[in-house]
Amino acid sequence: MKITRTYSKMAREATVLLGKEIQVARKERAWSEQVLADRIGISRTTLQKIEAGDMTVAIGLVFEAAVILGIPIFLEENPSLSKSIRNTTDKLTLLPKRIRNKTKKVKDDF
């Protein structure tokens, strides 16, 4: 039997914010979802859930993603989560939508 849980607004916003910060840090490093998922030891689908702020993902996996990317989990001051989510969303908007490995074409015609 599936249990339906309800979460506070603060908890939902916190998971969305951390998920977006993980996504930004991953994209800034030009890592694909699969690369980060492999480093954490999870599936790409689970990573997508983490980045979306899905409340059903184990907290240990979320923290592991944050640690691998160097994201501080606890701050001394607690800024408004809504404002932080907006700022992180704006940052994501500025990053390229697709991660590509840049390969140089080899000129081998002598």
Side-chain angles (χ1 to χ4, degrees), residues 88-102:
T88 307
T89 301
D90 291 344
K91 210 183 235 188
L92 278 171
T93 303
L94 297 174
L95 291 171
K97 292 187 187 266
R98 188 167 179 202
I99 303 298
R100 292 180 215 116
N101 291 333
K102 294 181 180 180

Side-chain angles (χ1 to χ4, degrees), residues 44-57:
R44 193 171 141 258
T45 304
T46 301
L47 177 61
Q48 289 171 338
K49 288 180 180 181
I50 290 171
E51 290 183 350
D54 188 326
M55 299 289 283
T56 62
V57 178

Side-chain angles (χ1 to χ4, degrees), residues 41-104:
I42 59 176
S43 70
R44 193 171 141 258
T45 304
T46 301
L47 177 61
Q48 289 171 338
K49 288 180 180 181
I50 290 171
E51 290 183 350
D54 188 326
M55 299 289 283
T56 62
V57 178
I59 190 76
L61 298 176
V62 178
F63 282 3
E64 186 64 19
V67 168
I68 287 173
L69 292 168
I71 298 169
I73 297 171
F74 299 102
L75 303 174
E76 290 180 14
E77 296 178 22
N78 188 4
S80 165
L81 289 177
S82 295
K83 181 179 178 185
S84 295
I85 290 171
R86 280 193 305 276
N87 289 342
T88 307
T89 301
D90 291 344
K91 210 183 235 188
L92 278 171
T93 303
L94 297 174
L95 291 171
K97 292 187 187 266
R98 188 167 179 202
I99 303 298
R100 292 180 215 116
N101 291 333
K102 294 181 180 180
T103 57
K104 293 182 179 179

Side-chain angles (χ1 to χ4, degrees), residues 17-60:
L17 173 60
L18 186 53
K20 287 185 181 291
E21 287 180 349
I22 289 168
Q23 187 178 27
V24 167
R26 174 182 63 78
K27 287 185 175 189
E28 286 177 340
R29 286 169 178 72
W31 290 357
S32 68
E33 291 175 346
Q34 190 62 54
V35 167
L36 180 55
D38 290 344
R39 288 178 183 238
I40 302 169
I42 59 176
S43 70
R44 193 171 141 258
T45 304
T46 301
L47 177 61
Q48 289 171 338
K49 288 180 180 181
I50 290 171
E51 290 183 350
D54 188 326
M55 299 289 283
T56 62
V57 178
I59 190 76

